[in-house]
PDB file of all heavy atoms in Angstrom:
ATOM      1  N   ASP A   1    -123.692-154.883  44.729  1.00 97.00           N
ATOM      2  CA  ASP A   1    -125.053-155.140  44.256  1.00 97.00           C
ATOM      3  C   ASP A   1    -125.201-156.590  43.803  1.00 97.00           C
ATOM      4  O   ASP A   1    -126.162-157.283  44.169  1.00 97.00           O
ATOM      5  CB  ASP A   1    -125.367-154.179  43.106  1.00 97.00           C
ATOM      6  CG  ASP A   1    -126.818-154.244  42.659  1.00 97.00           C
ATOM      7  OD1 ASP A   1    -127.679-154.662  43.457  1.00 97.00           O
ATOM      8  OD2 ASP A   1    -127.102-153.880  41.496  1.00 97.00           O
ATOM      9  N   LEU A   2    -124.235-157.080  43.041  1.00 97.00           N
ATOM     10  CA  LEU A   2    -124.284-158.426  42.488  1.00 97.00           C
ATOM     11  C   LEU A   2    -124.370-159.497  43.576  1.00 97.00           C
ATOM     12  O   LEU A   2    -125.091-160.492  43.427  1.00 97.00           O
ATOM     13  CB  LEU A   2    -123.034-158.657  41.624  1.00 97.00           C
ATOM     14  CG  LEU A   2    -122.893-159.999  40.897  1.00 97.00           C
ATOM     15  CD1 LEU A   2    -124.022-160.181  39.890  1.00 97.00           C
ATOM     16  CD2 LEU A   2    -121.537-160.067  40.188  1.00 97.00           C
ATOM     17  N   PHE A   3    -123.669-159.269  44.680  1.00 97.00           N
ATOM     18  CA  PHE A   3    -123.617-160.285  45.736  1.00 97.00           C
ATOM     19  C   PHE A   3    -124.533-159.972  46.922  1.00 97.00           C
ATOM     20  O   PHE A   3    -124.374-160.502  48.014  1.00 97.00           O
ATOM     21  CB  PHE A   3    -122.179-160.509  46.170  1.00 97.00           C
ATOM     22  CG  PHE A   3    -121.306-160.986  45.038  1.00 97.00           C
ATOM     23  CD1 PHE A   3    -120.244-160.227  44.582  1.00 97.00           C
ATOM     24  CD2 PHE A   3    -121.585-162.186  44.380  1.00 97.00           C
ATOM     25  CE1 PHE A   3    -119.457-160.650  43.521  1.00 97.00           C
ATOM     26  CE2 PHE A   3    -120.805-162.616  43.316  1.00 97.00           C
ATOM     27  CZ  PHE A   3    -119.739-161.848  42.876  1.00 97.00           C
ATOM     28  N   GLY A   4    -125.501-159.065  46.665  1.00 96.00           N
ATOM     29  CA  GLY A   4    -126.611-158.860  47.593  1.00 96.00           C
ATOM     30  C   GLY A   4    -126.328-158.152  48.892  1.00 96.00           C
ATOM     31  O   GLY A   4    -127.054-158.329  49.872  1.00 96.00           O
ATOM     32  N   VAL A   5    -125.278-157.330  48.933  1.00 96.00           N
ATOM     33  CA  VAL A   5    -124.978-156.624  50.186  1.00 96.00           C
ATOM     34  C   VAL A   5    -125.025-155.101  50.023  1.00 96.00           C
ATOM     35  O   VAL A   5    -124.683-154.371  50.962  1.00 96.00           O
ATOM     36  CB  VAL A   5    -123.596-157.057  50.737  1.00 96.00           C
ATOM     37  CG1 VAL A   5    -123.594-158.537  51.073  1.00 96.00           C
ATOM     38  CG2 VAL A   5    -122.473-156.734  49.758  1.00 96.00           C
ATOM     39  N   LYS A   6    -125.467-154.649  48.869  1.00 95.00           N
ATOM     40  CA  LYS A   6    -125.472-153.217  48.563  1.00 95.00           C
ATOM     41  C   LYS A   6    -126.161-152.382  49.643  1.00 95.00           C
ATOM     42  O   LYS A   6    -125.656-151.331  50.061  1.00 95.00           O
ATOM     43  CB  LYS A   6    -126.151-152.990  47.213  1.00 95.00           C
ATOM     44  CG  LYS A   6    -126.347-151.536  46.826  1.00 95.00           C
ATOM     45  CD  LYS A   6    -127.099-151.424  45.507  1.00 95.00           C
ATOM     46  CE  LYS A   6    -127.389-149.976  45.167  1.00 95.00           C
ATOM     47  NZ  LYS A   6    -128.186-149.861  43.908  1.00 95.00           N
ATOM     48  N   ASP A   7    -127.336-152.833  50.095  1.00 96.00           N
ATOM     49  CA  ASP A   7    -128.126-152.049  51.049  1.00 96.00           C
ATOM     50  C   ASP A   7    -127.666-152.217  52.486  1.00 96.00           C
ATOM     51  O   ASP A   7    -128.183-151.546  53.391  1.00 96.00           O
ATOM     52  CB  ASP A   7    -129.608-152.442  50.944  1.00 96.00           C
ATOM     53  CG  ASP A   7    -130.198-152.122  49.573  1.00 96.00           C
ATOM     54  OD1 ASP A   7    -129.728-151.143  48.951  1.00 96.00           O
ATOM     55  OD2 ASP A   7    -131.123-152.837  49.130  1.00 96.00           O
ATOM     56  N   ASP A   8    -126.700-153.107  52.706  1.00 97.00           N
ATOM     57  CA  ASP A   8    -126.243-153.383  54.072  1.00 97.00           C
ATOM     58  C   ASP A   8    -124.842-152.857  54.341  1.00 97.00           C
ATOM     59  O   ASP A   8    -124.289-153.068  55.423  1.00 97.00           O
ATOM     60  CB  ASP A   8    -126.270-154.898  54.328  1.00 97.00           C
ATOM     61  CG  ASP A   8    -127.664-155.477  54.173  1.00 97.00           C
ATOM     62  OD1 ASP A   8    -128.568-155.048  54.907  1.00 97.00           O
ATOM     63  OD2 ASP A   8    -127.836-156.345  53.291  1.00 97.00           O
ATOM     64  N   VAL A   9    -124.271-152.192  53.334  1.00 96.00           N
ATOM     65  CA  VAL A   9    -122.927-151.636  53.482  1.00 96.00           C
ATOM     66  C   VAL A   9    -123.014-150.119  53.505  1.00 96.00           C
ATOM     67  O   VAL A   9    -123.703-149.516  52.673  1.00 96.00           O
ATOM     68  CB  VAL A   9    -122.008-152.089  52.320  1.00 96.00           C
ATOM     69  CG1 VAL A   9    -120.679-151.350  52.370  1.00 96.00           C
ATOM     70  CG2 VAL A   9    -121.775-153.587  52.371  1.00 96.00           C
ATOM     71  N   GLU A  10    -122.332-149.505  54.452  1.00 96.00           N
ATOM     72  CA  GLU A  10    -122.279-148.040  54.511  1.00 96.00           C
ATOM     73  C   GLU A  10    -121.086-147.572  53.672  1.00 96.00           C
ATOM     74  O   GLU A  10    -119.948-147.958  53.924  1.00 96.00           O
ATOM     75  CB  GLU A  10    -122.117-147.554  55.953  1.00 96.00           C
ATOM     76  CG  GLU A  10    -122.075-146.041  56.067  1.00 96.00           C
ATOM     77  CD  GLU A  10    -121.831-145.543  57.479  1.00 96.00           C
ATOM     78  OE1 GLU A  10    -121.765-146.392  58.405  1.00 96.00           O
ATOM     79  OE2 GLU A  10    -121.677-144.317  57.657  1.00 96.00           O
ATOM     80  N   LEU A  11    -121.381-146.757  52.656  1.00 95.00           N
ATOM     81  CA  LEU A  11    -120.312-146.257  51.798  1.00 95.00           C
ATOM     82  C   LEU A  11    -119.746-144.971  52.385  1.00 95.00           C
ATOM     83  O   LEU A  11    -120.481-144.014  52.647  1.00 95.00           O
ATOM     84  CB  LEU A  11    -120.839-146.006  50.380  1.00 95.00           C
ATOM     85  CG  LEU A  11    -121.311-147.251  49.612  1.00 95.00           C
ATOM     86  CD1 LEU A  11    -121.760-146.857  48.205  1.00 95.00           C
ATOM     87  CD2 LEU A  11    -120.221-148.310  49.535  1.00 95.00           C
ATOM     88  N   ALA A  12    -118.455-144.956  52.580  1.00 92.00           N
ATOM     89  CA  ALA A  12    -117.788-143.792  53.175  1.00 92.00           C
ATOM     90  C   ALA A  12    -117.667-142.667  52.163  1.00 92.00           C
ATOM     91  O   ALA A  12    -117.299-142.892  51.007  1.00 92.00           O
ATOM     92  CB  ALA A  12    -116.413-144.189  53.689  1.00 92.00           C
ATOM     93  N   ASN A  13    -117.958-141.462  52.600  1.00 87.00           N
ATOM     94  CA  ASN A  13    -117.847-140.296  51.732  1.00 87.00           C
ATOM     95  C   ASN A  13    -116.456-139.673  51.889  1.00 87.00           C
ATOM     96  O   ASN A  13    -116.286-138.573  52.406  1.00 87.00           O
ATOM     97  CB  ASN A  13    -118.941-139.277  52.075  1.00 87.00           C
ATOM     98  CG  ASN A  13    -118.984-138.121  51.078  1.00 87.00           C
ATOM     99  OD1 ASN A  13    -118.537-138.266  49.939  1.00 87.00           O
ATOM    100  ND2 ASN A  13    -119.502-136.985  51.512  1.00 87.00           N
ATOM    101  N   VAL A  14    -115.472-140.431  51.468  1.00 82.00           N
ATOM    102  CA  VAL A  14    -114.075-140.025  51.584  1.00 82.00           C
ATOM    103  C   VAL A  14    -113.389-140.289  50.255  1.00 82.00           C
ATOM    104  O   VAL A  14    -113.715-141.251  49.558  1.00 82.00           O
ATOM    105  CB  VAL A  14    -113.354-140.838  52.702  1.00 82.00           C
ATOM    106  CG1 VAL A  14    -111.908-140.384  52.850  1.00 82.00           C
ATOM    107  CG2 VAL A  14    -114.102-140.713  54.018  1.00 82.00           C
ATOM    108  N   GLU A  15    -112.457-139.423  49.879  1.00 85.00           N
ATOM    109  CA  GLU A  15    -111.717-139.634  48.640  1.00 85.00           C
ATOM    110  C   GLU A  15    -110.827-140.871  48.779  1.00 85.00           C
ATOM    111  O   GLU A  15    -110.265-141.125  49.859  1.00 85.00           O
ATOM    112  CB  GLU A  15    -110.852-138.412  48.314  1.00 85.00           C
ATOM    113  CG  GLU A  15    -111.627-137.161  47.940  1.00 85.00           C
ATOM    114  CD  GLU A  15    -112.388-137.319  46.644  1.00 85.00           C
ATOM    115  OE1 GLU A  15    -111.900-138.049  45.756  1.00 85.00           O
ATOM    116  OE2 GLU A  15    -113.476-136.714  46.513  1.00 85.00           O
ATOM    117  N   LEU A  16    -110.681-141.615  47.684  1.00 86.00           N
ATOM    118  CA  LEU A  16    -109.864-142.826  47.722  1.00 86.00           C
ATOM    119  C   LEU A  16    -108.422-142.513  48.099  1.00 86.00           C
ATOM    120  O   LEU A  16    -107.733-143.339  48.705  1.00 86.00           O
ATOM    121  CB  LEU A  16    -109.917-143.534  46.363  1.00 86.00           C
ATOM    122  CG  LEU A  16    -109.263-144.919  46.299  1.00 86.00           C
ATOM    123  CD1 LEU A  16    -109.919-145.878  47.287  1.00 86.00           C
ATOM    124  CD2 LEU A  16    -109.342-145.481  44.881  1.00 86.00           C
ATOM    125  N   SER A  17    -107.972-141.311  47.769  1.00 85.00           N
ATOM    126  CA  SER A  17    -106.597-140.926  48.111  1.00 85.00           C
ATOM    127  C   SER A  17    -106.380-140.880  49.629  1.00 85.00           C
ATOM    128  O   SER A  17    -105.242-140.921  50.105  1.00 85.00           O
ATOM    129  CB  SER A  17    -106.261-139.559  47.499  1.00 85.00           C
ATOM    130  OG  SER A  17    -107.177-138.568  47.945  1.00 85.00           O
ATOM    131  N   ASN A  18    -107.476-140.807  50.392  1.00 89.00           N
ATOM    132  CA  ASN A  18    -107.379-140.777  51.854  1.00 89.00           C
ATOM    133  C   ASN A  18    -107.690-142.129  52.485  1.00 89.00           C
ATOM    134  O   ASN A  18    -107.876-142.221  53.710  1.00 89.00           O
ATOM    135  CB  ASN A  18    -108.352-139.720  52.420  1.00 89.00           C
ATOM    136  CG  ASN A  18    -108.002-138.319  51.966  1.00 89.00           C
ATOM    137  OD1 ASN A  18    -106.821-137.970  51.858  1.00 89.00           O
ATOM    138  ND2 ASN A  18    -109.004-137.508  51.690  1.00 89.00           N
ATOM    139  N   ALA A  19    -107.757-143.177  51.672  1.00 91.00           N
ATOM    140  CA  ALA A  19    -108.178-144.492  52.154  1.00 91.00           C
ATOM    141  C   ALA A  19    -107.269-145.034  53.251  1.00 91.00           C
ATOM    142  O   ALA A  19    -107.737-145.558  54.266  1.00 91.00           O
ATOM    143  CB  ALA A  19    -108.235-145.476  50.989  1.00 91.00           C
ATOM    144  N   VAL A  20    -105.966-144.919  53.067  1.00 93.00           N
ATOM    145  CA  VAL A  20    -105.036-145.506  54.027  1.00 93.00           C
ATOM    146  C   VAL A  20    -105.155-144.827  55.389  1.00 93.00           C
ATOM    147  O   VAL A  20    -105.241-145.492  56.432  1.00 93.00           O
ATOM    148  CB  VAL A  20    -103.591-145.438  53.504  1.00 93.00           C
ATOM    149  CG1 VAL A  20    -102.616-145.957  54.567  1.00 93.00           C
ATOM    150  CG2 VAL A  20    -103.449-146.266  52.231  1.00 93.00           C
ATOM    151  N   SER A  21    -105.167-143.495  55.404  1.00 93.00           N
ATOM    152  CA  SER A  21    -105.275-142.786  56.684  1.00 93.00           C
ATOM    153  C   SER A  21    -106.623-143.065  57.344  1.00 93.00           C
ATOM    154  O   SER A  21    -106.698-143.219  58.569  1.00 93.00           O
ATOM    155  CB  SER A  21    -105.077-141.275  56.486  1.00 93.00           C
ATOM    156  OG  SER A  21    -106.048-140.752  55.586  1.00 93.00           O
ATOM    157  N   ALA A  22    -107.701-143.152  56.542  1.00 94.00           N
ATOM    158  CA  ALA A  22    -109.026-143.450  57.091  1.00 94.00           C
ATOM    159  C   ALA A  22    -109.063-144.855  57.689  1.00 94.00           C
ATOM    160  O   ALA A  22    -109.698-145.091  58.719  1.00 94.00           O
ATOM    161  CB  ALA A  22    -110.090-143.300  56.008  1.00 94.00           C
ATOM    162  N   LEU A  23    -108.356-145.788  57.050  1.00 95.00           N
ATOM    163  CA  LEU A  23    -108.303-147.159  57.556  1.00 95.00           C
ATOM    164  C   LEU A  23    -107.517-147.201  58.873  1.00 95.00           C
ATOM    165  O   LEU A  23    -107.936-147.844  59.841  1.00 95.00           O
ATOM    166  CB  LEU A  23    -107.643-148.067  56.512  1.00 95.00           C
ATOM    167  CG  LEU A  23    -107.766-149.574  56.731  1.00 95.00           C
ATOM    168  CD1 LEU A  23    -109.191-150.032  56.464  1.00 95.00           C
ATOM    169  CD2 LEU A  23    -106.803-150.333  55.820  1.00 95.00           C
ATOM    170  N   LYS A  24    -106.391-146.522  58.922  1.00 93.00           N
ATOM    171  CA  LYS A  24    -105.557-146.486  60.121  1.00 93.00           C
ATOM    172  C   LYS A  24    -106.294-145.850  61.292  1.00 93.00           C
ATOM    173  O   LYS A  24    -106.170-146.298  62.435  1.00 93.00           O
ATOM    174  CB  LYS A  24    -104.272-145.696  59.834  1.00 93.00           C
ATOM    175  CG  LYS A  24    -103.268-146.420  58.956  1.00 93.00           C
ATOM    176  CD  LYS A  24    -102.154-145.489  58.514  1.00 93.00           C
ATOM    177  CE  LYS A  24    -101.368-144.935  59.686  1.00 93.00           C
ATOM    178  NZ  LYS A  24    -100.246-144.066  59.215  1.00 93.00           N
ATOM    179  N   ASN A  25    -107.077-144.802  60.989  1.00 93.00           N
ATOM    180  CA  ASN A  25    -107.769-144.073  62.055  1.00 93.00           C
ATOM    181  C   ASN A  25    -109.079-144.723  62.475  1.00 93.00           C
ATOM    182  O   ASN A  25    -109.767-144.206  63.362  1.00 93.00           O
ATOM    183  CB  ASN A  25    -108.047-142.626  61.600  1.00 93.00           C
ATOM    184  CG  ASN A  25    -106.763-141.850  61.352  1.00 93.00           C
ATOM    185  OD1 ASN A  25    -105.735-142.159  61.932  1.00 93.00           O
ATOM    186  ND2 ASN A  25    -106.825-140.856  60.479  1.00 93.00           N
TER     187      ASN A  25
END
């Protein structure tokens, strides 16, 4: 929000614990 990209970024509905596998895939 502070750096003006809030509305242009898609937030993933994934638990942070799954971040690495989601990044790899």
Side-chain angles (χ1 to χ4, degrees):
D1 187 23
L2 182 63
F3 300 117
V5 297
K6 174 183 176 183
D7 297 329
D8 300 300
V9 172
E10 181 183 356
L11 295 182
N13 187 24
V14 182
E15 292 294 328
L16 188 59
S17 58
N18 297 323
V20 176
S21 59
L23 193 72
K24 287 170 61 178
N25 297 334

